[in-house]
Amino acid sequence: MDFLRPASWDEALAAKAEHPGAVPIAGGTDVMVEINFDHRRPEYLMDLTRIGDLYEWEVGADSVRLGASVPYTKIMENLRAELPGLSLASHTVASPQIRNRGGVGGNLGTASPAGDAHPALLAAGAEVEAESAARGTRLIPIDAFYTGVKRNALAPDELIRAVHIKKADGPQQYSKVGTRNAMVIAVCAFGLALHPESRTVRTGVGSAAPTPVRAKAAEEFLNAALEEGGFWDNGKIITPSVAQRFAQLCAAACNPIDDVRGTASYRRHAVGVMARRTLTWTWESYRGTRRTSKGAA
């Protein structure tokens, strides 16, 4: 196994073009585990830790451009207001040491259905900034990024440079089932984001299908129910029947397996429970924000 260590982004793209099979490594929290257990033996390993741009973020008027290697700790410390769902997910990633090393780019590159960041990225409607030396930069919508079990939409000569995530315009939540809060692979996970400006709701489900997925039928049902009931305007409590139907549709969006961490039926049940709870939490937060803004007015 040969080791590549580019000193700049342009050098990294050139190396990736010359060696399309090279596996990029920054935090190494996923790749090194596979190598240490001899589950993976790439011909080339490309170290990206010398490229400072990957560790930077930029908060714009409407979105955050998050470098692929920005550690989860930095997201938790600096972007809690702009990216609340991803910040909550970051809290559940492994140990403090790994949160200081690992970043969202690694989660995306590995594309494991159990990756902690995926449900929050799906719920927020992120875009992945990928680049190659030959074709330049493109933005891949998060919905099109996951193509199979541990497979993604990157071309062989592309690298992930950043993730573009819209700043939260409403409450977001994240929930994960495991034997403990962190230091564990999720049995299943769920992300939910309210988008009051567009009057829509987005979801993200992890570790309950071959890829991270959205519960689109559940979103469509809830979007219609909120609009028809005037909930966005009147701020009333969502009825139990609406919450229960939303939970059922979220569970139905799953296509899980039985494994050592949990059964398929348990995963479906747990996703339904998390969907109902996160909907309750986010909607109560939205109602509280409305009451506060009315009081200030």
Side-chain angles (χ1 to χ4, degrees):
M1 182 166 51
D2 290 334
F3 191 67
L4 308 173
R5 198 160 187 248
S8 69
W9 182 247
D10 287 341
E11 283 186 22
L13 292 179
K16 186 63 169 166
E18 185 178 353
H19 307 289
V23 175
I25 181 172
T29 58
D30 285 325
V31 173
M32 290 310 300
V33 171
E34 293 186 329
I35 291 175
N36 289 339
F37 281 92
D38 207 25
H39 295 160
R40 193 175 194 179
R41 191 62 56 179
E43 185 177 359
Y44 294 95
L45 199 62
M46 187 192 303
D47 176 21
L48 301 177
T49 56
R50 298 171 70 189
I51 304 173
D53 171 61
L54 299 179
Y55 293 87
E56 298 175 356
W57 67 89
E58 180 182 354
V59 179
D62 300 313
S63 65
V64 176
R65 183 184 182 273
L66 186 70
S69 298
V70 173
Y72 291 109
T73 299
K74 295 296 184 183
I75 297 171
M76 293 157 52
E77 292 174 348
N78 299 282
L79 296 169
R80 186 181 302 273
E82 294 84 359
L83 309 176
L86 185 59
S87 178
L88 287 169
S90 298
H91 275 278
T92 75
V93 174
S95 64
Q97 295 90 337
I98 290 178
R99 290 194 288 272
N100 287 336
R101 293 279 300 177
V104 172
N107 242 199
L108 289 166
T110 304
S112 166
D116 291 316
H118 303 313
L121 294 174
L122 283 164
E127 293 181 307
V128 181
E129 180 182 329
E131 188 171 347
S132 76
R135 296 178 307 283
T137 302
R138 64 173 176 142
L139 292 178
I140 307 171
I142 194 68
D143 291 349
F145 186 78
Y146 310 107
T147 59
V149 180
K150 294 191 174 182
R151 296 201 305 273
N152 59 47
L154 292 175
D157 64 342
E158 284 184 315
L159 292 171
I160 299 172
R161 189 168 191 175
V163 185
H164 296 252
I165 312 169
K166 293 178 181 177
K167 291 165 65 175
D169 63 312
Q172 299 180 359
Q173 269 292 341
Y174 177 88
S175 186
K176 172 179 172 179
V177 172
T179 51
R180 49 186 180 263
N181 184 50
M183 287 295 290
V184 67
I185 298 174
V187 177
C188 52
F190 189 83
L192 181 69
L194 302 185
H195 300 279
E197 290 182 3
S198 59
R199 297 195 174 205
T200 57
V201 176
R202 283 181 63 106
T203 60
V205 183
S207 202
T211 68
V213 296
R214 284 169 57 198
K216 292 185 179 180
E219 293 174 10
E220 292 170 1
F221 162 77
L222 186 57
N223 288 338
L226 294 177
E227 193 63 38
E228 291 169 7
F231 287 94
W232 292 109
D233 295 320
N234 60 38
K236 292 194 299 186
I237 296 174
I238 292 178
T239 59
S241 61
V242 169
Q244 185 61 32
R245 182 56 180 159
F246 174 71
Q248 291 170 349
L249 289 170
C250 286
C254 301
N255 183 21
I257 60 171
D258 295 331
D259 63 16
V260 294
R261 288 179 286 123
T263 64
S265 61
Y266 175 75
R267 284 185 164 99
R268 288 193 190 92
H269 171 74
V271 166
V273 172
M274 288 190 291
R276 178 173 48 80
R277 289 179 178 174
T278 54
L279 175 58
T280 301
W281 297 334
T282 52
W283 194 255
E284 279 303 304
S285 180
Y286 172 71
R287 295 178 69 237
T289 302
R290 279 180 49 81
R291 287 193 296 266
T292 300
S293 62
K294 283 185 176 181

